[in-house]
Amino acid sequence: MSANDTSLGVNGNLRTFNKFIANLEIKANDVRINNWASLLNPIIKPHGLRVDGSADITLQIRGALVPPDQPQISLEARLKNAQTSSSQIPNPFTNIKGYLKYSDDSLLWENLEFKFNEDIYTSSGSLRQFASPIISIKLQTSDLYFFVNARSISDMYEISRVDLKSKLSALSGTGKISSDMTKPFLEINCKGEVTLSELRRIPFLKSPLEEWDIIGKADVEIYYSGMIKEPLDAKYSIKYRSPRTLIKNFRFNDLSIKIDQIARRENIFDASASFYDGKISAAGKLTTKDLHPLTIQLRATDVNLNTLKNDLPVKDSRIGGSFSADLYVEGPVQKSEKIAGQGKFSIINASFAKTNLLTGVLALVFTDYEEIVFTDAR
């Protein structure tokens, strides 16, 4: 028996007393998926999908075929070198192979392997209750693992659990995401441990992490609520706590950072750390519109210059003392020449050979300044 250029093997029986009662098993090997694409159109056309490849298929039909009764239908497919593409996704999924099973309003897949953007992925999961889906997905590569469990409620997917793991980092959380992907809304609350070197693969973090040579490992908590494509208009909170972080080779111990976007494009931040036997802190506000106006209060208490000098760009064994400062700075970030500030410094038991030491220390923080004036020294 054949259909659509496909050889079919049929086993079972069909009884015709009052109703057609089926007990059939239909098998086919090396089925060209494209030959049966018309049957899949209700699923694939709304998403602009194109599917091709081959599969070994087993179809089972059991029960009455005459309405109002409905037969039980199950379909098992083992995909072999399939591929799919979509008008909504720039690159295709290729080399798809693995096991799929459809039965009783559910879809199950196991060890489904595919290639996307030159990376090989493996996935297992299930989709149940098509009218109000419950989704469980596990996805992994050689160095990344992702798991999500979610349920469709109204126009949202309620995420009961989401895990993201790499070789050195792990995040877990809960949240919700809109089912309308044309205007995707996301609310997520997660926490875990992050190694900063791994974040360099994220495009918008790569440049600042490399420019400032930031290295460390931290416990983080992240809350986000807003449109995925408009993060500057969303509400979010980020907490970062690290026993040790290096920035430009300077050591920040017990570093704590909290950033909140409390209103559209308005960020408040607070940071503190142990710094070379002393303490430092920074608190302020940054607005990410217009010229990005910034206000910031900086404090340093009892920073030991005898140990700090070892990590300064200019080595001088004669530098020493205990350094404290209180600074206030404000101005537009995008016009740094207009940034102004004032403050006071003190150095106890100081010793240094060069009179421009303080100017040099400030230049490490303010790389573009017009003038720094000292009014008193004792």
Side-chain angles (χ1 to χ4, degrees):
M1 181 177 177
S2 65
N4 284 355
D5 296 324
T6 303
S7 296
L8 305 175
V10 181
N11 294 309
N13 57 73
L14 185 63
R15 291 180 289 150
T16 60
F17 297 106
N18 296 323
K19 301 179 179 180
F20 286 103
I21 308 296
N23 184 13
L24 299 174
E25 182 178 83
I26 304 171
K27 289 187 175 183
N29 293 328
D30 296 321
V31 177
R32 294 297 302 175
I33 298 173
N34 194 47
N35 292 346
W36 297 83
S38 60
L39 298 177
L40 301 174
N41 281 341
I43 300 173
I44 66 177
K45 268 198 169 182
H47 303 285
L49 290 172
R50 295 176 296 277
V51 183
D52 200 1
S54 63
D56 296 338
I57 293 175
T58 299
L59 175 66
Q60 293 182 335
I61 305 173
R62 290 187 173 91
L65 303 181
V66 178
D69 296 326
Q70 291 184 342
Q72 292 182 342
I73 298 176
S74 67
L75 173 68
E76 297 182 21
R78 191 160 296 280
L79 300 176
K80 301 187 294 185
N81 196 30
Q83 50 271 332
T84 182
S85 59
S86 170
S87 57
Q88 301 177 17
I89 301 174
N91 297 313
F93 296 86
T94 61
N95 298 347
I96 305 171
K97 52 187 177 182
Y99 174 79
L100 295 172
K101 182 178 180 180
Y102 164 82
S103 64
D104 298 330
D105 201 23
S106 69
L107 178 65
L108 171 73
W109 61 97
E110 294 179 355
N111 298 321
L112 191 68
E113 185 179 291
F114 60 90
K115 189 175 183 180
F116 181 74
N117 279 349
E118 302 304 318
D119 291 319
I120 296 175
Y121 295 80
T122 303
S123 178
S124 297
S126 63
L127 173 63
R128 295 179 287 129
Q129 298 180 193
F130 295 156
S132 183
I134 300 173
I135 302 173
S136 180
I137 300 173
K138 180 174 70 175
L139 181 68
Q140 62 190 88
T141 67
S142 58
D143 56 1
L144 282 176
Y145 171 88
F146 173 77
F147 171 81
V148 64
N149 195 77
R151 179 171 192 155
S152 177
I153 299 177
S154 186
D155 59 348
M156 304 292 292
Y157 281 98
E158 297 284 347
I159 302 171
S160 60
R161 180 172 178 176
V162 60
D163 296 327
L164 179 61
K165 299 178 183 179
S166 63
K167 291 181 178 178
L168 301 174
S169 305
L171 291 172
S172 295
T174 60
K176 57 185 177 181
I177 187 170
S178 62
S179 55
D180 181 4
M181 288 294 100
T182 60
K183 296 181 179 179
F185 172 88
L186 173 67
E187 183 175 327
I188 190 78
N189 199 337
C190 63
K191 60 182 178 180
E193 189 175 68
V194 170
T195 299
L196 297 181
S197 59
E198 292 192 321
L199 299 184
R200 296 188 180 190
R201 22 175 126 173
I202 302 175
F204 70 92
L205 292 177
K206 178 179 173 63
S207 178
L209 287 172
E210 290 183 347
E211 180 181 353
W212 287 88
D213 194 19
I214 303 175
I215 302 170
K217 192 170 188 175
D219 293 326
V220 298
E221 296 181 25
I222 301 171
Y223 172 79
Y224 182 95
S225 179
M227 306 302 291
I228 294 177
K229 298 179 181 179
E230 299 172 2
L232 295 180
D233 295 333
K235 289 185 178 181
Y236 58 77
S237 175
I238 301 172
K239 296 179 182 178
Y240 176 100
R241 291 182 294 274
S242 171
R244 180 165 177 163
T245 297
L246 297 179
I247 303 176
K248 287 286 188 181
N249 203 41
F250 291 104
R251 292 174 279 122
F252 296 81
N253 296 326
D254 299 322
L255 176 60
S256 175
I257 302 173
K258 188 173 187 295
I259 303 172
D260 291 293
Q261 183 157 283
I262 54 175
R264 185 173 180 267
R265 295 176 179 261
E266 292 187 4
N267 292 268
I268 58 174
F269 56 90
D270 193 348
S272 62
S274 297
F275 188 70
Y276 296 90
D277 304 323
K279 300 286 185 181
I280 61 171
S281 64
K285 180 179 179 180
L286 173 66
T287 302
T288 54
K289 60 183 178 181
D290 301 327
L291 295 177
H292 292 197
L294 167 72
T295 60
I296 182 170
Q297 184 78 43
L298 300 165
R299 287 190 175 90
T301 307
D302 299 328
V303 175
N304 189 341
L305 296 180
N306 294 288
T307 54
L308 175 62
K309 69 185 179 185
N310 297 321
D311 292 331
L312 287 172
V314 179
K315 309 295 183 185
D316 192 328
S317 61
R318 292 166 292 179
I319 296 174
S322 179
F323 175 80
S324 297
D326 197 339
L327 295 173
Y328 176 80
V329 177
E330 65 178 352
V333 173
Q334 292 188 348
K335 284 197 173 183
S336 57
E337 71 275 8
K338 294 189 176 295
I339 293 178
Q342 60 183 5
K344 58 184 180 181
F345 304 84
S346 68
I347 301 179
I348 302 173
N349 299 324
S351 63
F352 50 88
K354 297 183 179 180
T355 57
N356 66 345
L357 169 68
L358 293 181
T359 301
V361 171
L362 280 180
L364 294 173
V365 180
F366 306 106
T367 57
D368 186 6
Y369 61 90
E370 182 175 333
E371 184 178 25
I372 298 175
V373 179
F374 296 99
T375 60
D376 185 33
R378 292 190 294 273

